[in-house]
Amino acid sequence: MIHIYNNIDSTKLMLYEMITLEEERRRPYYVDNDFYKNKYGLVSNVKYMRIKVRDVTEWETYSEIDNEDNISNIIYLKNSKFF
């Protein structure tokens, strides 16, 4: 994982910058996304790149009643002072 981006445009811009660098150095690469037409095949000695996405939701207050069936959630412990 290189970085987390908020939109596809900035993500693709960084991907194309990485591709340009690989081409300048004459190193093979493979982009595993449907929008990109690869010059090289997927073999063992290429740089592998892929853009992945995930849904992100707003933080919610933790409740044991609501989470009885879903115990695998990531829990964020906020470091703050109580009033």
Side-chain angles (χ1 to χ4, degrees):
M1 171 124 12
I2 302 286
H3 191 69
I4 298 171
Y5 298 93
N6 292 328
N7 61 59
I8 191 64
D9 294 329
S10 61
T11 307
K12 284 184 175 181
L13 180 63
M14 179 53 72
L15 176 67
Y16 287 116
E17 287 178 14
M18 293 168 55
I19 290 169
T20 300
L21 181 63
E22 295 304 306
E23 288 180 353
E24 287 174 0
R25 296 179 178 175
R26 298 182 182 195
R27 296 189 295 207
Y29 58 89
Y30 185 84
V31 179
D32 194 5
N33 288 104
D34 60 356
F35 63 86
Y36 190 79
K37 184 172 166 91
N38 287 289
K39 288 184 182 180
Y40 307 99
L42 182 57
V43 293
S44 63
N45 59 345
V46 297
K47 184 170 195 173
Y48 180 84
M49 296 177 266
R50 175 192 278 179
I51 295 175
K52 296 179 98 176
V53 297
R54 68 182 174 100
D55 290 329
V56 179
T57 60
E58 294 295 320
W59 289 105
E60 297 177 11
T61 303
Y62 174 77
S63 168
E64 296 219 357
I65 296 169
D66 294 340
N67 288 317
E68 286 178 348
D69 296 331
N70 192 359
I71 60 172
S72 64
N73 287 344
I74 296 173
I75 299 172
Y76 173 72
L77 301 174
K78 185 174 181 181
N79 185 10
S80 62
K81 295 180 181 177
F82 294 100
F83 298 100

XYZ file of all heavy atoms in Angstrom:
723
model
N 0.852 -1.158 0.000
C 0.000 0.000 0.000
C 0.901 1.225 0.000
O 1.748 1.367 0.860
C -0.905 -0.009 1.221
C -1.652 1.235 1.393
S -3.444 1.241 1.510
C -3.959 -0.371 1.732
N 0.682 2.082 -0.961
C 1.473 3.300 -1.082
C 0.848 4.443 -0.289
O 1.482 5.081 0.513
C 1.597 3.722 -2.564
C 2.231 2.617 -3.379
C 2.359 5.023 -2.713
C 3.700 2.434 -3.168
N -0.418 4.704 -0.543
C -1.080 5.855 0.064
C -2.593 5.683 -0.071
O -3.059 4.911 -0.886
C -0.630 7.129 -0.656
C -1.042 8.388 0.040
N -0.514 8.771 1.245
C -1.919 9.351 -0.301
C -1.060 9.923 1.611
N -1.922 10.287 0.687
N -3.321 6.441 0.707
C -4.779 6.440 0.622
C -5.198 7.761 -0.011
O -4.756 8.827 0.421
C -5.405 6.287 2.021
C -4.989 4.943 2.612
C -6.909 6.441 1.962
C -5.356 4.776 4.064
N -6.039 7.683 -1.034
C -6.512 8.861 -1.749
C -8.022 9.002 -1.582
O -8.711 8.021 -1.381
C -6.172 8.756 -3.235
C -4.686 8.700 -3.474
C -4.030 7.484 -3.571
C -3.944 9.861 -3.593
C -2.667 7.430 -3.773
C -2.574 9.808 -3.802
C -1.942 8.596 -3.886
O -0.592 8.542 -4.079
N -8.513 10.232 -1.726
C -9.933 10.504 -1.554
C -10.732 10.414 -2.838
O -11.950 10.380 -2.798
C -10.143 11.891 -0.936
C -9.652 11.947 0.486
O -9.708 10.973 1.205
N -9.140 13.087 0.885
N -10.053 10.412 -3.993
C -10.792 10.350 -5.250
C -9.979 9.606 -6.302
O -8.766 9.466 -6.185
C -11.184 11.753 -5.735
C -9.985 12.616 -5.999
O -9.136 12.284 -6.807
N -9.907 13.744 -5.304
N -10.650 9.140 -7.332
C -10.007 8.316 -8.347
C -9.040 9.120 -9.204
O -8.033 8.592 -9.670
C -11.056 7.568 -9.206
C -10.392 6.496 -10.074
C -11.850 8.549 -10.045
C -9.730 5.389 -9.328
N -9.314 10.402 -9.408
C -8.432 11.213 -10.250
C -7.028 11.335 -9.655
O -6.034 11.148 -10.358
C -9.033 12.601 -10.479
C -10.310 12.541 -11.299
O -10.421 11.635 -12.156
O -11.198 13.381 -11.077
N -6.933 11.650 -8.384
C -5.612 11.756 -7.756
C -4.935 10.388 -7.673
O -3.717 10.280 -7.775
C -5.713 12.405 -6.379
O -6.523 11.653 -5.519
N -5.723 9.347 -7.511
C -5.176 7.994 -7.470
C -4.578 7.604 -8.819
O -3.456 7.104 -8.888
C -6.273 6.985 -7.086
O -6.892 7.407 -5.879
C -5.694 5.596 -6.914
N -5.323 7.854 -9.889
C -4.810 7.538 -11.229
C -3.594 8.384 -11.572
O -2.661 7.898 -12.203
C -5.903 7.733 -12.280
C -6.923 6.628 -12.309
C -7.907 6.854 -13.440
C -8.879 5.728 -13.586
N -9.813 5.935 -14.691
N -3.586 9.635 -11.154
C -2.432 10.500 -11.401
C -1.174 9.893 -10.782
O -0.123 9.824 -11.428
C -2.693 11.899 -10.848
C -1.575 12.912 -11.031
C -1.323 13.176 -12.505
C -1.915 14.201 -10.304
N -1.261 9.447 -9.541
C -0.114 8.826 -8.889
C 0.269 7.521 -9.584
O 1.452 7.232 -9.768
C -0.404 8.572 -7.414
C 0.752 7.912 -6.686
S 2.350 8.739 -6.850
C 2.082 10.170 -5.850
N -0.706 6.734 -9.998
C -0.426 5.491 -10.710
C 0.347 5.771 -11.994
O 1.356 5.125 -12.280
C -1.726 4.746 -11.027
C -1.563 3.477 -11.865
C -0.828 2.400 -11.075
C -2.908 2.984 -12.333
N -0.103 6.755 -12.765
C 0.582 7.083 -14.022
C 1.975 7.658 -13.778
O 2.881 7.456 -14.584
C -0.285 8.009 -14.874
C -1.448 7.277 -15.489
C -2.758 7.602 -15.161
C -1.247 6.223 -16.386
C -3.832 6.912 -15.712
C -2.317 5.530 -16.942
C -3.598 5.879 -16.598
O -4.652 5.186 -17.137
N 2.172 8.357 -12.670
C 3.523 8.810 -12.315
C 4.430 7.616 -12.010
O 5.598 7.596 -12.405
C 3.470 9.762 -11.124
C 2.914 11.122 -11.459
C 2.821 12.044 -10.251
O 3.424 11.735 -9.197
O 2.144 13.077 -10.356
N 3.893 6.617 -11.315
C 4.667 5.399 -11.027
C 4.995 4.658 -12.316
O 6.109 4.160 -12.485
C 3.874 4.499 -10.062
C 3.708 5.098 -8.687
S 2.504 4.237 -7.641
C 3.098 2.580 -7.649
N 4.039 4.602 -13.246
C 4.256 3.940 -14.530
C 5.336 4.673 -15.323
O 6.229 4.039 -15.906
C 2.937 3.859 -15.326
C 1.997 2.861 -14.661
C 3.193 3.494 -16.779
C 0.584 2.894 -15.189
N 5.280 5.996 -15.344
C 6.294 6.789 -16.047
C 7.682 6.503 -15.494
O 8.641 6.336 -16.258
C 5.968 8.291 -15.930
O 4.692 8.527 -16.505
C 7.015 9.138 -16.624
N 7.809 6.425 -14.189
C 9.092 6.111 -13.569
C 9.584 4.726 -13.985
O 10.760 4.547 -14.313
C 8.976 6.209 -12.046
C 10.257 5.938 -11.267
C 11.321 6.969 -11.611
C 9.964 5.935 -9.774
N 8.696 3.748 -14.000
C 9.085 2.395 -14.416
C 9.531 2.383 -15.876
O 10.495 1.713 -16.229
C 7.934 1.412 -14.199
C 7.551 1.202 -12.754
C 8.714 0.741 -11.898
O 9.363 -0.264 -12.244
O 8.976 1.398 -10.877
N 8.835 3.129 -16.726
C 9.207 3.183 -18.143
C 10.542 3.891 -18.345
O 11.354 3.467 -19.166
C 8.101 3.850 -18.964
C 6.887 2.963 -19.104
C 5.769 3.595 -19.905
O 5.853 4.789 -20.264
O 4.793 2.868 -20.184
N 10.787 4.985 -17.597
C 12.072 5.682 -17.690
C 13.228 4.772 -17.301
O 14.305 4.842 -17.880
C 12.070 6.923 -16.790
C 11.238 8.066 -17.304
C 11.148 9.212 -16.323
O 11.737 9.142 -15.217
O 10.457 10.201 -16.654
N 13.000 3.916 -16.342
C 14.044 2.991 -15.872
C 14.042 1.666 -16.637
O 14.788 0.762 -16.299
C 13.860 2.745 -14.377
C 14.069 4.026 -13.592
C 13.884 3.821 -12.128
N 14.139 5.066 -11.416
C 13.960 5.215 -10.132
N 13.519 4.219 -9.390
N 14.213 6.365 -9.554
N 13.146 1.575 -17.631
C 13.024 0.388 -18.488
C 12.788 -0.893 -17.686
O 13.389 -1.935 -17.940
C 14.254 0.249 -19.388
C 14.390 1.424 -20.306
C 15.542 1.280 -21.218
N 15.623 2.493 -22.035
C 16.324 2.586 -23.110
N 17.023 1.571 -23.536
N 16.348 3.701 -23.792
N 11.883 -0.770 -16.727
C 11.510 -1.927 -15.908
C 10.088 -2.336 -16.248
O 9.199 -1.483 -16.382
C 11.616 -1.593 -14.424
C 13.038 -1.280 -13.990
C 13.167 -1.172 -12.512
N 12.408 -0.037 -11.976
C 12.732 0.601 -10.859
N 13.788 0.239 -10.165
N 11.998 1.596 -10.430
N 9.834 -3.622 -16.387
C 8.471 -4.080 -16.697
C 7.548 -3.899 -15.487
O 7.979 -3.946 -14.337
C 8.650 -5.555 -17.050
C 9.923 -5.951 -16.415
C 10.780 -4.732 -16.332
N 6.278 -3.712 -15.770
C 5.276 -3.508 -14.730
C 3.955 -4.095 -15.205
O 3.759 -4.343 -16.390
C 5.112 -2.015 -14.403
C 4.726 -1.206 -15.618
C 3.401 -1.019 -15.956
C 5.696 -0.662 -16.449
C 3.039 -0.302 -17.083
C 5.356 0.062 -17.585
C 4.021 0.228 -17.891
O 3.675 0.930 -19.014
N 3.050 -4.296 -14.273
C 1.717 -4.805 -14.602
C 0.707 -4.083 -13.730
O 0.839 -4.042 -12.506
C 1.630 -6.314 -14.355
C 0.317 -6.907 -14.793
C 0.113 -7.269 -16.108
C -0.719 -7.085 -13.890
C -1.097 -7.805 -16.527
C -1.923 -7.631 -14.298
C -2.106 -7.979 -15.616
O -3.303 -8.498 -16.037
N -0.321 -3.485 -14.354
C -1.393 -2.812 -13.630
C -2.625 -3.710 -13.693
O -3.127 -4.011 -14.766
C -1.706 -1.426 -14.236
C -2.851 -0.760 -13.479
C -0.469 -0.546 -14.210
N -3.091 -4.138 -12.550
C -4.198 -5.083 -12.469
C -5.533 -4.364 -12.261
O -6.214 -4.556 -11.257
C -3.940 -6.078 -11.340
C -4.863 -7.272 -11.403
O -5.631 -7.385 -12.365
O -4.823 -8.094 -10.473
N -5.880 -3.472 -13.200
C -7.173 -2.802 -13.213
C -7.705 -2.819 -14.634
O -6.937 -2.762 -15.591
C -7.060 -1.352 -12.725
C -6.805 -1.271 -11.240
O -5.686 -1.008 -10.816
N -7.825 -1.507 -10.426
N -9.022 -2.876 -14.781
C -9.629 -3.028 -16.102
C -9.471 -1.814 -17.015
O -9.558 -1.930 -18.229
C -11.101 -3.393 -15.985
C -11.918 -2.344 -15.245
O -11.338 -1.357 -14.748
O -13.142 -2.520 -15.163
N -9.203 -0.629 -16.478
C -9.082 0.566 -17.303
C -7.713 0.699 -17.972
O -7.530 1.521 -18.855
C -9.357 1.836 -16.483
C -8.375 2.062 -15.368
C -7.175 2.718 -15.613
C -8.655 1.624 -14.091
C -6.268 2.928 -14.583
C -7.755 1.827 -13.061
C -6.559 2.483 -13.310
N -6.738 -0.129 -17.559
C -5.371 0.024 -18.063
C -5.011 -1.108 -19.017
O -5.196 -2.274 -18.702
C -4.379 0.072 -16.900
C -3.010 0.479 -17.357
C -2.721 1.811 -17.589
C -2.026 -0.466 -17.597
C -1.477 2.201 -18.041
C -0.776 -0.084 -18.052
C -0.516 1.248 -18.275
O 0.718 1.625 -18.732
N -4.463 -0.738 -20.180
C -4.006 -1.725 -21.154
C -2.505 -1.941 -20.935
O -1.700 -1.039 -21.162
C -4.280 -1.236 -22.572
C -3.930 -2.257 -23.624
C -4.416 -1.791 -24.985
C -3.802 -2.610 -26.076
N -4.472 -3.741 -26.520
N -2.143 -3.122 -20.494
C -0.759 -3.428 -20.136
C 0.118 -3.695 -21.350
O -0.316 -4.308 -22.318
C -0.725 -4.651 -19.213
C -1.215 -4.308 -17.837
O -0.552 -3.619 -17.100
N -2.414 -4.767 -17.507
N 1.369 -3.248 -21.265
C 2.387 -3.558 -22.273
C 2.999 -4.922 -21.997
O 3.462 -5.595 -22.889
C 3.519 -2.537 -22.236
C 3.196 -1.185 -22.753
C 4.468 -0.349 -22.714
C 4.232 1.059 -23.164
N 5.474 1.850 -23.119
N 3.048 -5.289 -20.726
C 3.731 -6.503 -20.297
C 2.718 -7.489 -19.726
O 1.693 -7.104 -19.188
C 4.777 -6.179 -19.225
C 5.748 -5.106 -19.637
C 5.591 -3.794 -19.222
C 6.818 -5.406 -20.466
C 6.475 -2.801 -19.605
C 7.720 -4.421 -20.860
C 7.536 -3.125 -20.425
O 8.415 -2.155 -20.815
N 3.060 -8.760 -19.791
C 2.225 -9.783 -19.183
C 2.534 -9.907 -17.703
O 3.540 -9.395 -17.217
N 1.679 -10.599 -17.002
C 1.879 -10.813 -15.569
C 2.801 -12.010 -15.382
O 2.394 -13.157 -15.515
C 0.534 -11.047 -14.867
C 0.590 -11.229 -13.362
C 1.242 -10.025 -12.689
C -0.809 -11.431 -12.812
N 4.058 -11.712 -15.111
C 5.060 -12.743 -14.845
C 5.694 -12.448 -13.498
O 5.431 -11.417 -12.885
C 6.133 -12.806 -15.966
C 5.510 -13.283 -17.271
C 6.807 -11.473 -16.160
N 6.561 -13.314 -13.046
C 7.061 -13.225 -11.677
C 7.979 -12.034 -11.397
O 8.114 -11.630 -10.266
C 7.789 -14.514 -11.312
O 8.916 -14.670 -12.146
N 8.621 -11.461 -12.410
C 9.587 -10.401 -12.117
C 9.140 -9.019 -12.618
O 9.946 -8.248 -13.105
C 10.949 -10.751 -12.690
C 10.902 -10.942 -14.192
O 9.827 -11.079 -14.758
N 12.046 -10.942 -14.835
N 7.867 -8.698 -12.504
C 7.368 -7.375 -12.858
C 6.870 -6.667 -11.602
O 6.527 -7.313 -10.613
C 6.220 -7.417 -13.901
C 6.683 -7.997 -15.200
C 5.007 -8.123 -13.374
N 6.855 -5.335 -11.646
C 6.263 -4.577 -10.556
C 4.749 -4.653 -10.709
O 4.207 -4.321 -11.752
C 6.727 -3.131 -10.598
C 6.229 -2.322 -9.437
C 6.903 -0.979 -9.398
C 6.698 -0.328 -8.065
N 7.482 0.889 -7.958
N 4.054 -5.099 -9.685
C 2.610 -5.300 -9.708
C 1.935 -4.116 -9.031
O 2.273 -3.758 -7.906
C 2.269 -6.594 -8.980
C 0.801 -6.913 -8.928
C 0.169 -7.549 -9.978
C 0.056 -6.575 -7.810
C -1.171 -7.855 -9.929
C -1.299 -6.873 -7.747
C -1.896 -7.509 -8.819
O -3.234 -7.789 -8.758
N 0.972 -3.498 -9.734
C 0.244 -2.354 -9.185
C -1.253 -2.581 -9.366
O -1.684 -3.111 -10.387
C 0.662 -1.070 -9.901
C 2.115 -0.718 -9.699
S 2.613 0.757 -10.608
C 3.239 0.002 -12.110
N -2.037 -2.156 -8.378
C -3.488 -2.291 -8.447
C -4.126 -1.207 -7.594
O -3.690 -0.960 -6.471
C -3.934 -3.644 -7.924
C -5.452 -3.776 -7.860
C -5.896 -4.964 -7.085
N -5.835 -6.136 -7.937
C -6.149 -7.352 -7.516
N -6.495 -7.553 -6.268
N -6.089 -8.373 -8.339
N -5.155 -0.572 -8.137
C -5.955 0.372 -7.354
C -7.092 -0.423 -6.728
O -7.803 -1.148 -7.411
C -6.518 1.499 -8.238
C -5.377 2.354 -8.785
C -7.504 2.358 -7.443
C -5.837 3.422 -9.762
N -7.228 -0.271 -5.410
C -8.308 -0.944 -4.690
C -9.160 0.108 -3.993
O -8.667 1.172 -3.621
C -7.736 -1.915 -3.655
C -6.949 -3.050 -4.288
C -6.380 -3.950 -3.237
C -7.294 -5.138 -3.088
N -6.782 -6.132 -2.151
N -10.428 -0.189 -3.813
C -11.355 0.730 -3.146
C -12.074 0.007 -2.016
O -12.149 -1.220 -1.988
C -12.399 1.313 -4.129
C -11.730 2.127 -5.202
C -13.254 0.225 -4.724
N -12.598 0.805 -1.098
C -13.424 0.260 -0.024
C -14.375 1.335 0.446
O -14.120 2.525 0.307
C -12.585 -0.245 1.140
C -11.870 0.851 1.891
C -11.015 0.257 3.011
N -10.225 1.290 3.635
C -10.539 1.879 4.778
N -11.627 1.540 5.424
N -9.767 2.814 5.298
N -15.488 0.909 0.984
C -16.457 1.841 1.541
C -15.995 2.278 2.917
O -15.469 1.475 3.697
C -17.835 1.189 1.676
C -18.475 0.937 0.326
O -18.210 1.731 -0.597
O -19.231 -0.034 0.198
N -16.171 3.539 3.200
C -15.842 4.083 4.512
C -17.101 4.744 5.051
O -17.736 5.534 4.367
C -14.698 5.117 4.421
C -14.379 5.697 5.781
C -13.465 4.473 3.816
N -17.454 4.400 6.263
C -18.657 4.965 6.866
C -18.273 5.908 8.009
O -17.132 5.918 8.461
C -19.561 3.852 7.412
O -18.835 3.107 8.403
C -20.020 2.920 6.312
N -19.249 6.653 8.467
C -19.022 7.557 9.580
C -18.836 6.760 10.874
O -19.323 5.642 11.015
C -20.223 8.497 9.742
C -20.410 9.444 8.582
C -19.258 10.424 8.452
O -18.770 10.913 9.490
O -18.861 10.685 7.309
N -18.114 7.363 11.823
C -17.941 6.730 13.126
C -19.273 6.700 13.853
O -20.056 7.642 13.777
C -16.927 7.508 13.966
C -15.533 7.357 13.475
C -14.805 8.272 12.787
C -14.695 6.219 13.627
N -13.568 7.782 12.495
C -13.465 6.516 13.002
C -14.844 4.968 14.213
C -12.413 5.618 12.961
C -13.787 4.079 14.172
C -12.592 4.406 13.563
N -19.514 5.605 14.571
C -20.719 5.468 15.374
C -20.324 5.110 16.800
O -19.278 4.519 17.027
C -21.605 4.360 14.792
C -22.094 4.645 13.394
C -22.899 3.487 12.829
O -23.242 2.564 13.602
O -23.182 3.514 11.638
N -21.171 5.448 17.732
C -20.916 5.085 19.115
C -21.039 3.576 19.275
O -22.001 2.974 18.803
C -21.916 5.797 20.053
O -21.804 7.199 19.844
C -21.643 5.457 21.502
N -20.064 2.973 19.930
C -20.075 1.524 20.126
C -21.173 1.133 21.093
O -21.374 1.751 22.133
C -18.723 1.054 20.654
C -18.727 -0.411 21.001
C -18.663 -1.361 20.002
C -18.818 -0.841 22.315
C -18.685 -2.713 20.295
C -18.844 -2.188 22.626
C -18.776 -3.114 21.614
O -18.803 -4.444 21.911
N -21.872 0.048 20.771
C -22.907 -0.489 21.631
C -22.803 -2.004 21.619
O -22.777 -2.611 20.554
C -24.289 -0.059 21.127
O -25.288 -0.792 21.790
N -22.727 -2.611 22.781
C -22.634 -4.071 22.847
C -23.902 -4.724 22.337
O -23.865 -5.790 21.762
C -22.327 -4.518 24.277
C -20.992 -4.023 24.727
C -20.236 -5.037 25.559
O -20.774 -6.105 25.844
O -19.104 -4.725 25.901
N -25.035 -4.087 22.537
C -26.303 -4.651 22.070
C -26.334 -4.702 20.551
O -26.719 -5.696 19.952
C -27.490 -3.827 22.618
C -27.522 -3.923 24.140
C -28.794 -4.275 21.997
C -28.471 -2.961 24.804
N -25.900 -3.632 19.888
C -25.913 -3.575 18.425
C -24.862 -4.485 17.794
O -25.016 -4.915 16.661
C -25.674 -2.145 17.934
C -26.824 -1.227 18.315
O -27.922 -1.735 18.594
O -26.610 -0.003 18.346
N -23.791 -4.782 18.514
C -22.671 -5.518 17.935
C -22.539 -6.955 18.418
O -21.486 -7.562 18.268
C -21.363 -4.771 18.193
C -21.266 -3.532 17.349
O -21.590 -3.563 16.176
N -20.828 -2.438 17.956
N -23.563 -7.515 18.994
C -23.482 -8.888 19.484
C -23.178 -9.880 18.369
O -22.436 -10.831 18.551
C -24.784 -9.278 20.184
C -24.933 -8.635 21.543
C -26.253 -9.009 22.204
O -27.129 -9.578 21.527
O -26.397 -8.724 23.393
N -23.754 -9.668 17.180
C -23.560 -10.595 16.071
C -22.327 -10.289 15.237
O -21.859 -11.129 14.490
C -24.783 -10.587 15.143
C -26.022 -11.085 15.864
O -25.876 -11.908 16.796
O -27.132 -10.648 15.509
N -21.768 -9.110 15.356
C -20.648 -8.714 14.518
C -19.474 -8.307 15.404
O -19.203 -7.132 15.603
C -21.062 -7.555 13.597
C -20.027 -7.309 12.519
O -19.015 -7.976 12.455
N -20.300 -6.321 11.701
N -18.735 -9.282 15.912
C -17.644 -8.997 16.841
C -16.319 -8.730 16.139
O -15.322 -8.485 16.778
C -17.476 -10.148 17.854
C -17.152 -11.443 17.127
C -18.683 -10.262 18.741
C -16.785 -12.582 18.039
N -16.292 -8.757 14.797
C -15.033 -8.565 14.095
C -14.814 -7.120 13.647
O -13.882 -6.850 12.907
C -14.987 -9.477 12.872
O -15.990 -9.116 11.958
N -15.637 -6.179 14.070
C -15.453 -4.776 13.681
C -14.176 -4.218 14.285
O -13.781 -4.582 15.382
C -16.626 -3.917 14.149
C -17.866 -4.154 13.331
O -17.794 -4.714 12.251
N -18.998 -3.723 13.844
N -13.549 -3.308 13.567
C -12.406 -2.590 14.110
C -12.950 -1.507 15.020
O -13.864 -0.778 14.661
C -11.560 -1.979 12.980
C -10.982 -3.094 12.130
C -10.474 -1.078 13.547
C -10.273 -2.615 10.888
N -12.365 -1.397 16.181
C -12.833 -0.416 17.156
C -11.755 0.651 17.319
O -10.597 0.347 17.517
C -13.140 -1.082 18.514
C -14.241 -2.129 18.323
C -13.515 -0.045 19.563
C -14.492 -2.970 19.537
N -12.152 1.899 17.216
C -11.254 3.033 17.358
C -11.395 3.576 18.768
O -12.480 3.942 19.201
C -11.618 4.101 16.321
C -10.873 5.387 16.461
C -9.527 5.457 16.131
C -11.505 6.529 16.915
C -8.841 6.645 16.248
C -10.825 7.717 17.031
C -9.488 7.777 16.699
O -8.812 8.947 16.818
N -10.302 3.608 19.510
C -10.315 4.149 20.857
C -9.788 5.567 20.814
O -8.606 5.785 20.581
C -9.462 3.295 21.790
C -9.887 1.842 21.917
C -8.880 1.078 22.754
C -11.270 1.730 22.512
N -10.651 6.516 21.024
C -10.259 7.914 20.930
C -9.613 8.354 22.232
O -10.135 8.117 23.309
C -11.472 8.774 20.629
C -11.121 10.220 20.409
C -12.333 10.996 19.966
C -11.934 12.439 19.737
N -13.051 13.252 19.335
N -8.467 8.995 22.120
C -7.746 9.491 23.287
C -8.263 10.888 23.607
O -7.894 11.857 22.964
C -6.252 9.515 22.995
C -5.450 9.903 24.212
O -5.974 9.973 25.309
N -4.177 10.183 24.015
N -9.131 10.980 24.581
C -9.686 12.289 24.926
C -10.008 12.332 26.416
O -10.103 11.311 27.075
C -10.950 12.564 24.109
O -11.930 11.601 24.420
N -10.204 13.531 26.903
C -10.582 13.716 28.301
C -12.095 13.775 28.408
O -12.755 14.321 27.546
C -9.973 15.010 28.842
C -8.469 14.975 28.898
C -7.934 16.270 29.444
C -6.415 16.211 29.461
N -5.823 17.457 29.924
N -12.617 13.219 29.458
C -14.059 13.258 29.695
C -14.396 14.495 30.493
O -13.662 14.929 31.341
C -14.511 12.000 30.433
C -14.346 10.762 29.607
C -13.249 9.924 29.793
C -15.268 10.434 28.640
C -13.092 8.800 29.028
C -15.118 9.297 27.868
C -14.022 8.483 28.071
N -15.562 15.037 30.242
C -15.990 16.257 30.937
C -16.832 15.909 32.119
O -17.543 15.015 32.211
C -16.778 17.151 29.981
C -15.941 17.595 28.828
C -16.027 16.984 27.595
C -15.022 18.618 28.989
C -15.247 17.398 26.534
C -14.240 19.031 27.936
C -14.354 18.425 26.703
